[in-house]
Amino acid sequence: MTDSSKPDTGIGHDKFTSQRLRRRHRAERRFRLYGVMAVALSLCCLTALFSSVFSKAYTIFGQTEIALDIQFDQAVIDPSGKRQRKALIGADYGALIKAGLGASFPQVSGRRDKRALRQLVSSGAVYELQELVLQDPNLVDRHKRVWLAAADDVDMYRKGLIAGGAQGNGRISAKQAAWLDDLARRGQLERHFNWRFFTSGDSREPEQAGILGAAVGSLLTLLICLALAFPLGVMSAVYLEEFAPRNRWTDLIEVNINNLAAVPSIVFGLLGLSVLLGTLALPRSAPLVGGIVLALMTLPTVIIAARAALQAVPPSIREAALGVGASTQQVVWHHVLPLAMPGILTGTIIGMARALGETAPLLMIGMVAFIVDIPTGPTDPATVLPVQIFLWADAPERAFAERAAAAIIVLLAFLITMNLGAVLLRRRFEQRW
Amino acid sequence: MLKTTLTMATLITVAMTCTANTAMAREQLRIVGSSTVFPFATAVAERFGKTTGFKTPVVESTGSGGGLKLFCAGIGTGHPDIANASRRIKASEVSRCAGNGVENIVEVKIGFDGIVLASSRKTHQMPLTLKQLFLALARDVPVDGKLVANPFKAWNEIDPSLPAKKIEVLGPPPTSGTRDAFVELAMEGGAKSIPMLKAMRKADKKRFKAVAHTLREDGAFVEAGENDNLIVQKLEANPDAFGIFGFSFLDQNGDKLQGSPIGNVMPEFELIAAGSYPISRTLYFYVKKAHVGTVPGLQDYVAAFTADQAWGPDGYLADKGLIPLPAAERAKVRKQAAALANLSM
């Protein structure tokens, strides 16, 4: 069609339309630019966040250690010579460390200086010696060079995070700095891989504190949450979607589920406090209770996601199955549910990820706590990763900032693993029609 | 696959509910309470767990008030054995305890905590008196014999000897025990040094408290949240601002921050211990006597806490920032605690 064949009623390339067209194209370009800017901005924020966390956290992998020649003196550890566990636990290992330090620095005298010298080695180092002796009681009365964790201030100083002497925060004196240089020259001061952070529970000494307790706590809590929320959520969704009649009651239930998904999480914590701890008298600080509370919180999310996934299965599949004589139950189990599974899993993972990052409801049921022992079961006292981050970020010792950042990375690793699991499961189940 | 998941889930749930009921007898101590005492209680708990045969106590940070509420809720393994507090137990809390059957409580005084006013090291140190602090931070101050909304914008308006800098103080919110103690010790102390308010205290104690305890809300005092590390970071970024927090945070950040002398006394370990630094509060913990003997290790924990190796001037709690009691008082408290002497208000 050419311009000349058209009546000139404005549809052609007159001044008006071309102007309008240009304006529309401009608007289009502008809109795309906004989109690109929004994506770029969020990427910037994300990079800023990650780089700030990683730059604080990467030093966690190294831990300064001091080698001391320890004489495992029988008279100090086990005067009776019976090697009883109780004697070995209660022995004064601090005296062995003092003796070891004395052997390395025979020139240091005076109470004050000796105390300053002792402060170089972690005050938790006594338990490292205790552990060695408990594992191998034959060590008693022998001599061994042992690598012990240095104190948090020493570690920060050697990593260049705090200055020593007069410029420092007064935690490392000029004398201590000189001793440390001396140790380094003699090969008694090295940075080793920080296995403590990955294998121990919480501690009040930053250099002894580890993430394992909180990670196990999170894992147990999430397992219980999943074991409750997933089957309950999927069954509710299947019933509501496939079997339930549409009437006022199901409408009411639907509205309530949607509302429940928007209830602030602290409310679930209060419910846990009064019902689970109060009426049912379940133990405080236990992953069991935490898991139940978080399951209540994630249940609506799972139901809503599962219903949406079930709705997305084309009716032709149901009709075909019914047509060849399958019962409704068979239709659901053999056809609809497998096809809806990818969507259900996505919804469940989103709910679980939210549960993983939750601290508010756990405060009420006593999971915001200092727990040293690594939990071995769902009724042992435990804490979870976000709580551990909160507690470390709140601690006065500066070395805990590094631990908090590292714990954030562990939490992110947890999340990424969960998401990866969801992606893999989705791939396996995914079917196209 | 789905069916097996379901059966597994049911089995796990059933198994867990069974174990939950058998695990009711408690093996470890449960401690709740103040977030200020938390760093000290946890240090003792950790060592206690490692050096004795007992399990490591579980320490929760709930705040003093929240902790005492849980503590007073009743007797039995479902309730905590010890409550930490950064203030003394109130008479109302004692009667609440008694109402729930918690009749016998042992009070253990553990030491002091200094509250410091600190600023970045990038500026000059600014010595203050309690009176100046009150005039800078109270919502209503007396000017020419009348109470008016705080007109002071800069420090030199309060006293010409102070620098011409905007008043900007970051501090804890009202839910914090540090705030309570600061208001009680510093603000009330400052208010008492002003003759007009001193007279008011005699005539109308309630009104005096209201005036002394209310901090200004016009932006000169900023509530910076419960996290003291956050205040430390903000002070570093803003050299004109001051921050209010516990002594242990100043102790850890001496390279970035300096404490302001209050009434010519520096916030230093020895001076707070000697009682000459004016803003310091006493820390306590409370033991439920009824649980002695039913929960293993309760008395041993009290003994571990009150050993000089822990709370003494050279003990490990001093390294964590706890300011010890004088030697004579330590001996007295230790004796009373060992004998489980009842609290007397």
Side-chain angles (χ1 to χ4, degrees), chain A residues 325-386:
Chain A
S327 68
T328 324
Q329 198 194 352
Q330 281 172 328
V331 171
V332 169
W333 284 102
H334 296 169
H335 302 281
V336 179
L337 214 45
L339 285 174
M341 214 24 108
I344 295 177
L345 285 175
T346 313
T348 311
I349 292 291
I350 291 172
M352 298 303 289
R354 202 184 136 201
L356 177 66
E358 204 55 71
T359 53
L362 302 182
L363 182 77
M364 307 309 313
I365 55 168
M367 286 185 90
V368 179
F370 173 77
I371 288 151
V372 177
D373 303 330
I374 292 161
T376 52
T379 51
D380 281 355
T383 186
V384 292
L385 285 166

Side-chain angles (χ1 to χ4, degrees), chain A residues 89-90 111 115 119 123 127 130 162 167-169 171 203-205 224 227-228 231 235 281-285 288 333 337 341 366 368-373 378-379 381 391 393-398 429, chain B residues 1-3 6 9 13 16 19-20 23-24 28 30 38-39 42-43 45-47 50-52 55-61 70 78 226-229 248-249 251-256 313-314 319-320:
Chain A
I89 286 179
R111 199 165 160 275
R115 193 171 143 77
Q119 279 170 346
S123 51
Y127 309 117
Q130 184 197 52
I162 57 172
Q167 301 93 46
N169 57 353
R171 307 286 302 180
S203 168
R204 278 296 294 137
E205 309 301 331
I224 289 167
L228 289 173
M235 295 318 286
L282 291 173
R284 254 181 101 77
S285 320
L288 173 67
W333 284 102
L337 214 45
M341 214 24 108
V368 179
F370 173 77
I371 288 151
V372 177
D373 303 330
T379 51
L391 288 176
D394 219 19
E397 286 84 358
R398 246 204 268 173
F429 281 115
Chain B
M1 180 235 149
L2 208 74
K3 267 184 192 162
L6 281 177
T13 330
M16 277 177 331
T19 48
M24 285 318 292
Q28 77 279 83
R30 310 230 38 154
F38 182 75
T42 48
E46 185 182 356
R47 281 173 188 253
K50 280 181 178 160
T51 52
T52 63
K55 279 198 149 194
T56 313
V58 172
V59 189
E60 281 180 52
S61 166
L70 286 168
E226 292 267 16
N227 188 330
D228 288 351
N229 277 324
S248 17
F249 287 84
D251 191 36
Q252 286 284 333
N253 294 290
D255 53 342
K256 301 176 196 161
D314 291 329
D319 290 340
K320 297 265 160 230

